[in-house]
Amino acid sequence: MIPTFLLVGIPGLVTTPSWWALILITIYLLCALGNGTVLWVIAVEPSLHRPMYFFLFLLGVSDVGLATVLMPTLLKLSLFDSHTVPAFACFLQMFFIHVFSVMESSALLAMAFDRALAICHPLRYPALLTNGVTSKIGLAIVFRCVSLHLPLPFLLAWMPYCHPQVLSHSYCLHPDISRLSCPEAQGATYSLFVLFSAMGLDPVLIFLSYAFIGQALRGIASHEDRHRAQHTCAAHISAVLLFYVPMILLALIERLRLPIPHAAHTFLSYIHFLLPPLLNPVLYSVKMREVREKILRRIQPTKVRSVP
């Protein structure tokens, strides 16, 4: 087992590490503030204790967790220009990065399923998606995230490594570590299973959910009801695109070996991991009127009550 791995710094910012650290800290504080506000409002408002907002709560937890687990190595590189990370710490960070990524993907899938039921079967929706069913979906999401990735650190710890222990990012990812192993190393099949069972299957199911939603919207006669349903789905569609488009581009670049600069590949990876936690609270606060009103009522109760 390799005792340490070497992380690659941020391209073009090696000479200004402190300046880049200030940007990273600002991004993290904004992520924590935005998602924390949404989580707090959902937790304290009884009117938001519904399936859609429960899945939004899970999305906020995954966003905060993902931003938190990325920061140790990013700040270590930016503040101290330290590229080494022990294997145990690297495997631990890798585990939580992938757990929170799959949790975000699962939450987006659950939200798409929720919207499909609400729009396609509005009368049966309360009976189909009860609090008990919602709780079971939440437990299934947590079990899926942990059980899928729990074997990965142990597989990587026992793999023989034949290549230099230099990773291609500023944090530890499973594909990045596994490519350093010897060709005959075991675990590649399980890695592909994890990849396709989560990140490969979820976007397909989300696409199918919105295909059903689109078909149902065409059958709604009322323009006002159709507009309300479309407005409700707008925030979720934006979050789905924000999460999956950079990921798909990264996968295409990796598989097709497209000749793009390493700096562009690295920044696209940062966009995939850091932009959704930063923008998702803004999307849901702006697009979902009920969330926005509850936040404003909690922050400025007197001013909100005075508005007719």
Side-chain angles (χ1 to χ4, degrees):
M1 179 176 145
I2 299 177
T4 59
F5 290 97
L6 295 177
L7 302 173
V8 174
I10 301 166
L13 297 174
V14 179
T15 57
T16 57
S18 300
W19 174 74
W20 180 240
L22 182 62
I23 293 179
L24 288 174
I25 293 172
T26 303
I27 290 174
Y28 178 72
L29 291 177
L30 290 175
C31 291
L33 178 63
N35 287 285
T37 301
V38 173
L39 293 175
W40 169 67
V41 168
I42 294 174
V44 299
E45 283 289 342
S47 61
L48 298 183
H49 294 173
R50 303 202 301 269
M52 178 173 62
Y53 299 105
F54 174 75
F55 299 138
L56 180 58
F57 189 91
L58 289 180
L59 185 68
V61 170
S62 64
D63 281 337
V64 173
L66 190 58
T68 301
V69 76
L70 287 169
M71 284 299 138
T73 52
L74 290 177
L75 292 177
K76 185 179 177 183
L77 281 167
S78 301
L79 291 173
F80 309 109
D81 196 27
S82 176
H83 295 258
T84 60
V85 56
F88 173 78
C90 193
F91 294 155
L92 192 64
Q93 185 189 47
M94 176 212 70
F95 171 75
F96 282 109
I97 286 176
H98 290 295
V99 163
F100 286 121
S101 295
V102 173
M103 181 182 289
E104 179 144 0
S105 179
S106 302
L108 291 172
L109 174 60
M111 294 171 77
F113 176 71
D114 172 84
R115 289 300 84 204
L117 280 181
I119 294 173
C120 299
H121 304 284
L123 299 179
R124 299 174 58 195
Y125 174 78
L128 290 173
L129 207 59
T130 61
N131 290 335
V133 172
T134 304
S135 301
K136 291 177 182 178
I137 293 175
L139 291 174
I141 289 175
V142 174
F143 177 77
R144 179 197 194 198
C145 299
V146 175
S147 62
L148 274 177
H149 294 95
L150 191 59
L152 292 181
F154 300 99
L155 288 173
L156 291 174
W158 291 100
M159 278 185 181
Y161 292 89
C162 301
H163 302 282
Q165 61 269 36
V166 180
L167 303 178
S168 58
H169 294 287
S170 303
Y171 33 78
C172 300
L173 299 176
H174 177 261
D176 209 15
I177 300 173
S178 62
R179 69 177 177 84
L180 304 179
S181 62
C182 299
E184 69 275 7
Q186 302 296 319
T189 303
Y190 183 76
S191 302
L192 287 175
F193 166 74
V194 170
L195 178 65
F196 287 109
S197 64
M199 297 305 187
L201 182 62
D202 289 0
V204 174
L205 295 178
I206 291 174
F207 175 80
L208 291 176
S209 297
Y210 273 96
F212 288 119
I213 290 174
Q215 185 177 6
L217 288 177
R218 287 195 295 270
I220 298 177
S222 172
H223 176 74
E224 183 180 352
D225 292 342
R226 190 186 307 114
H227 177 74
R228 188 184 300 114
Q230 291 172 345
H231 191 74
T232 304
C233 296
H236 182 252
I237 294 174
S238 301
V240 168
L241 294 176
L242 193 63
F243 181 76
Y244 284 111
V245 169
M247 184 192 72
I248 293 172
L249 290 177
L250 285 169
L252 290 176
I253 291 170
E254 185 73 23
R255 296 300 174 186
L256 301 179
R257 301 187 181 276
L258 299 178
I260 69 167
H262 179 67
H265 185 274
T266 302
F267 278 110
L268 188 60
S269 177
Y270 292 150
I271 289 172
H272 168 59
F273 284 117
L274 293 177
L275 205 58
L278 183 64
L279 295 185
N280 278 344
V282 179
L283 288 173
Y284 284 100
S285 299
V286 172
K287 293 292 186 181
M288 299 180 72
R289 181 175 57 86
E290 193 168 4
V291 174
R292 182 176 67 252
E293 289 179 351
K294 299 300 182 184
I295 292 174
L296 292 176
R297 185 174 290 112
R298 288 284 175 172
I299 295 175
Q300 298 175 319
T302 305
K303 184 178 293 188
V304 173
R305 290 195 192 101
S306 64
V307 176

